[in-house]
Amino acid sequence: MSHNSQALCEKYGTPLYLYDGDVIARQYRSFVDAFSVKKLKLHFAVKSLSNIAILKLFKELGAGLDCVSIQEIKLGLHVGFSPEDIIYTPNGVSIDEYKKAIEIGTKITVDNISILEKIGLSDTKTPIFLRLNPHLMAGGNQKISVGHIGSKFGISIHQLPLAKRIIEKYNIDIEGIHVHTGSDIIQPEIFERVANLIFAIADDFPGIRSIDFGSGFKIQYKENDLYTDITKLGKQFSKVFNEYCDRVGREITLRFEPGKYLVSESGTFLAQVNVVKQTTACTFAAIDSGFNHLIRPMFYTAYHDITNLSNPEGEPKMYSIVGYICETDTFAEDRIINEIRERDILEFKNAGAYCFSMSSNYNSRFRPAEVLVLNGKDYLIREREVFEDLLRKQTMPDIEHWID
């Protein structure tokens, strides 16, 4: 998209999030085409990019949604998703929020014994997915590994006897088994190990209609970076899954909940250089943004490739790219980039997932605009915030004497 990104910056201003809808469609279709099973359903992880225009695009592609809050469910309903195409997979929420999702009619995932029993006591006939913790360490780093023994996610496989007693006591309909071990998993063998474990457990639930393996697929952040080969994974995983379906004599739906794989590569973040600052240690290029807009490098030490759109033929030099927040907000250290000048436009790649959705108004800064490019046309899908947005929902109480 970089061939017209500068023009879009002139049109919409900076900083700016830009998404290529054709890339999203390509990623979705490549994932679906990689698997050869009778029943497959992808549920896009709304938390990764929750703009309603993006959700509408996924609806048109035929995806379902993976939602972790009632608010995300309502966003999905707003753009036309049916409740049965939405899987509610929260963590640490109250039974009250579960009851709201049950009333709406979405699919329900339960990941702890307390809520499982409360759902049983409520005498609902709603089928549920049981989220299990396989006690397997997998993922790019500790913060995104969620299936190990110390994780807060899922019902421990060692708690299964207790879970089964509750299920039998209240006659709970277990529609499916759900498992998610972490993000940025490279080896297909990890998914196969988890699958074989879950298949053994699923044998104890003869009424299940689905098995949901969550997500965790690693995408390529830079040249020669390791990534999940989805074609290889799909071929190997389909064989294992089909063998299981044949063994149990039922057509079970295979479900996944990808987010990063579907939208990360589609997004770029565009920011303008405010100042180039030479110090005795290094050269800083400070942009008109900070971790209020893109926190992944600071929060996860995530890597985003950065290019200088304004000076692509400039002499390569070493820079530390920093923001305008009054705390350390370094996007990249000692990065080789074509010579950067003040007012140049820098492009951050792989900014489609967990970027805008994790943005904030820290330092009372406005959140940026979002633009979707689809079929050769650009569409403003979120307006840039203005000062009135900071005041919205705040009140000034009528206090007679502020200071006694």
Side-chain angles (χ1 to χ4, degrees):
M1 278 195 304
S2 59
H3 65 282
N4 65 352
S5 294
Q6 290 193 83
L8 292 174
C9 286
E10 292 177 9
K11 181 176 181 179
Y12 296 106
T14 61
L16 179 69
Y17 274 104
L18 189 58
Y19 311 112
D20 189 329
D22 296 321
V23 171
I24 293 175
R26 181 198 72 198
Q27 292 295 99
Y28 177 83
R29 289 169 182 145
S30 71
F31 196 110
V32 171
D33 292 344
F35 290 83
S36 299
V37 298
K38 291 182 179 179
K39 292 183 177 181
L40 175 70
K41 185 69 174 181
L42 296 195
H43 296 262
F44 171 62
V46 176
K47 58 183 174 290
S48 64
L49 182 57
S50 58
N51 187 289
I52 58 174
I54 302 299
L55 302 187
K56 179 67 173 178
L57 176 57
F58 277 111
K59 182 179 183 300
E60 296 302 311
L61 287 167
L65 295 181
D66 158 40
C67 296
V68 297
S69 68
I70 288 296
Q71 292 81 1
E72 287 187 353
I73 291 174
K74 289 183 176 180
L75 287 175
L77 298 175
H78 178 77
V79 301
F81 281 90
S82 60
E84 57 266 26
D85 281 333
I86 298 174
I87 293 183
Y88 176 56
T89 56
N91 175 258
V93 305
S94 71
I95 187 62
D96 298 325
E97 186 162 318
Y98 268 102
K99 287 179 177 178
K100 291 177 183 177
I102 290 171
E103 184 177 342
I104 290 170
T106 68
K107 295 185 181 301
I108 303 295
T109 300
V110 174
D111 83 335
N112 67 83
I113 295 294
S114 175
I115 292 296
L116 181 65
E117 187 157 27
K118 286 183 172 67
I119 286 179
L121 287 167
S122 70
D123 200 32
T124 177
K125 301 305 179 184
T126 299
I128 68 169
F129 282 70
L130 203 62
R131 179 171 180 174
L132 302 179
N133 182 334
H135 293 200
L136 177 66
M137 177 66 78
N141 60 59
Q142 181 71 21
K143 290 184 179 179
I144 56 177
S145 180
V146 297
H148 56 85
I149 195 168
S151 172
K152 69 171 184 171
F153 298 93
I155 295 173
S156 167
I157 54 175
H158 301 307
Q159 290 181 302
L160 270 174
L162 174 57
K164 288 173 65 177
R165 287 203 300 271
I166 293 171
I167 290 165
E168 291 169 2
K169 178 179 180 180
Y170 297 106
N171 195 27
I172 299 173
D173 181 8
I174 302 300
E175 176 179 354
I177 303 297
H178 181 289
V179 64
H180 176 60
T181 55
S183 299
D184 285 357
I185 300 172
I186 301 166
Q187 307 93 332
E189 293 75 18
I190 294 290
F191 290 98
E192 287 189 46
R193 285 173 58 191
V194 173
N196 288 322
L197 175 63
I198 296 305
F199 293 156
I201 292 170
D203 287 340
D204 291 334
F205 299 93
I208 67 166
R209 284 84 80 189
S210 294
I211 300 180
D212 189 332
F213 287 94
S215 183
F217 314 102
K218 188 180 187 307
I219 50 92
Q220 199 167 18
Y221 292 101
K222 52 187 172 181
E223 190 176 358
N224 299 322
D225 197 10
L226 295 174
Y227 63 96
T228 306
D229 185 334
I230 205 69
T231 301
K232 179 181 178 182
L233 170 66
K235 183 178 180 179
Q236 294 180 210
F237 202 93
S238 296
K239 180 177 182 295
V240 172
F241 191 80
N242 287 332
E243 287 174 352
Y244 176 74
C245 291
D246 290 342
R247 179 169 69 80
V248 298
R250 299 196 313 278
E251 291 184 6
I252 296 172
T253 300
L254 174 60
R255 300 180 188 269
F256 290 102
E257 301 168 354
K260 195 181 297 180
Y261 179 87
L262 297 179
V263 297
S264 179
E265 191 177 339
S266 76
T268 55
F269 180 61
L270 301 160
Q272 186 175 80
V273 177
N274 285 335
V275 64
V276 177
K277 179 180 179 179
Q278 180 71 54
T279 73
T280 55
C282 63
T283 302
F284 293 102
I287 60 175
D288 61 349
S289 183
F291 68 65
N292 55 321
H293 296 155
L294 179 55
I295 198 172
R296 293 186 72 250
M298 304 81 182
F299 192 54
Y300 293 122
T301 63
Y303 181 96
H304 290 265
D305 191 26
I306 303 172
T307 59
N308 186 352
L309 295 186
S310 305
N311 193 22
E313 304 301 323
E315 180 183 354
K317 296 185 178 181
M318 189 163 66
Y319 298 91
S320 288
I321 310 302
V322 297
Y324 59 10
I325 293 297
C326 291
E327 292 182 40
T328 300
D329 58 347
T330 302
F331 295 99
E333 286 185 305
D334 299 337
R335 192 76 64 85
I336 303 299
I337 303 173
N338 297 94
E339 183 184 9
I340 297 175
R341 306 156 304 184
E342 293 179 4
R343 304 189 70 80
D344 278 353
I345 301 297
L346 301 187
E347 178 185 63
F348 294 69
K349 297 181 180 178
N350 285 107
Y354 302 99
C355 292
F356 185 94
S357 63
M358 296 178 74
S359 65
S360 73
N361 291 122
Y362 188 53
N363 281 193
S364 297
R365 297 286 187 177
F366 306 139
R367 286 185 294 179
E370 292 179 291
V371 169
L372 173 67
V373 177
L374 186 64
N375 300 324
K377 296 182 179 180
D378 55 273
Y379 304 89
L380 181 65
I381 59 174
R382 188 188 300 268
E383 296 180 359
R384 187 177 309 282
E385 289 182 337
V386 295
F387 185 67
E388 286 71 24
D389 292 312
L390 297 181
L391 298 178
R392 189 167 289 119
K393 298 299 182 181
Q394 295 193 60
T395 61
M396 182 75 76
D398 185 14
I399 300 175
E400 184 176 355
H401 299 292
W402 285 83
I403 302 295
D404 289 331

